[in-house]
Amino acid sequence: MNLAIDLGNTFAKTGVFVDGKLQDLRKGLDYPTLLEYIDSIKPKHIVVSTVSYSEEQLKADLGKYDPDLILLQPNTLVPLVKLYDTPHTLGADRVAAAVGATVLFPQQNCVVIDLGTCNTYDLVDADANFHGGIISPGMKMRFKAMHTFTQRLPLIEPEGYPDLIGKSTAKAMQSGVINGLLAEINGFIEQYETLLTKINVILCGGDATFFANRIKSPNFVEPALVLIGLNRILEHNVEIKNASSPDKLTQS
């Protein structure tokens, strides 16, 4: 049993995998609840993606279950080639999501679109090369920015799909953010399709389902994409460790 953990500032999302298949998905676990959950299932292997907790704390809390706990960091071995100028700045969630895309669509071109606090668009080709991509403000960030950096614009929340032409300030803001994001998403996909043919469009993140039905290209929504990628990274490292173990070397 493998446990993949996407650990944020406040809550964690977890996935239990058996033979590469997601068996149990949990969201909204605070750290004490996460530790109780781990103690109840006692996984064999654990992989964690986080920017909120130190390696020392995680090893102290989780090492009794898996002494070889994997914390996804820039130097962690992954089944991707990072064609990125600054791999040390590459977010762990972007790497994990890209690996997840290769699990869902092996040996195929993919663009991974993560729609959350920030929106990221990352290109992975059929040879598992990570080319990098685009980072832009997410939907809620755009609403908040218009309110924060102006004197009179209100702070509003998204309300469905607005008309293109807003007949009030609030509706004009709705159109600017939501229709603007749709134009951005569709436009970036079209540009990616000029670089590689037959691209699978994979959406994840909190706003993925909100936009999925309005995207022109066929797309696949996978809320657990990061966890799927984390599990594959875990399997990759276990495979490497087993292949280089003394028993394996003796047998070969």
Side-chain angles (χ1 to χ4, degrees):
M1 181 195 300
N2 295 342
L3 178 66
I5 305 172
D6 185 7
L7 183 55
N9 292 317
T10 306
F11 297 112
K13 179 188 292 186
T14 66
V16 171
F17 292 82
V18 178
D19 296 328
K21 303 296 183 181
L22 179 61
Q23 300 293 329
D24 185 48
L25 173 64
R26 305 214 174 188
K27 303 177 183 179
L29 304 179
D30 60 25
Y31 195 68
T33 304
L34 172 65
L35 296 181
E36 291 175 2
Y37 174 61
I38 295 172
D39 189 61
S40 71
I41 63 173
K42 295 179 174 55
K44 182 177 181 180
H45 300 294
I46 302 175
V47 59
V48 183
S49 172
T50 186
V51 295
S52 307
Y53 291 81
S54 69
E55 183 175 5
E56 291 75 18
Q57 180 177 359
L58 291 170
K59 286 187 175 180
D61 293 336
L62 308 182
K64 60 183 177 181
Y65 305 106
D66 180 9
D68 298 318
L69 166 76
I70 294 175
L71 177 61
L72 183 54
Q73 297 175 319
N75 61 347
T76 303
L77 298 174
V78 298
L80 281 177
V81 178
K82 300 176 188 176
L83 304 179
Y84 204 70
D85 291 341
T86 57
H88 60 284
T89 69
L90 183 57
D93 54 342
R94 293 174 66 190
V95 174
V99 173
T102 68
V103 174
L104 298 179
F105 298 99
Q107 299 180 325
Q108 298 182 48
N109 300 319
C110 298
V111 56
V112 177
I113 304 178
D114 189 339
L115 301 174
T117 303
C118 285
N119 297 333
T120 59
Y121 307 76
D122 288 314
L123 191 63
V124 185
D125 68 27
D127 296 319
N129 294 308
F130 178 90
H131 291 267
I134 298 161
I135 303 175
S136 72
M139 178 167 62
K140 290 184 179 179
M141 186 183 292
R142 297 181 191 215
F143 280 121
K144 187 174 182 179
M146 285 194 287
H147 171 69
T148 301
F149 294 104
T150 63
Q151 293 294 322
R152 301 180 63 183
L153 293 180
L155 178 61
I156 60 176
E157 296 289 332
E159 298 178 357
Y161 294 110
D163 294 332
L164 178 64
I165 300 173
K167 298 293 188 179
S168 68
T169 297
K171 290 181 179 179
M173 293 170 68
Q174 293 278 353
S175 180
V177 171
I178 296 173
N179 288 319
L181 264 172
L182 281 169
E184 173 184 295
I185 295 167
N186 286 318
F188 284 153
I189 292 172
E190 290 176 2
Q191 292 183 61
Y192 275 132
E193 288 173 341
T194 66
L195 301 176
L196 295 173
T197 57
K198 297 181 179 179
I199 294 181
N200 299 293
V201 177
I202 309 170
L203 305 180
C204 62
D207 294 329
T209 54
F210 184 90
F211 288 100
N213 292 334
R214 294 300 180 99
I215 295 174
K216 295 177 182 178
S217 299
N219 58 82
F220 181 77
V221 178
E222 179 47 79
L225 187 65
V226 169
L227 296 175
I228 292 170
L230 286 173
N231 181 65
R232 179 67 193 104
I233 292 168
L234 175 57
E235 291 177 336
H236 182 67
N237 281 267
V238 171
E239 290 164 1
I240 291 173
K241 180 183 177 182
N242 290 342
S244 59
S245 67
D247 289 343
K248 292 286 185 180
L249 292 176
T250 301
Q251 292 172 10
S252 62

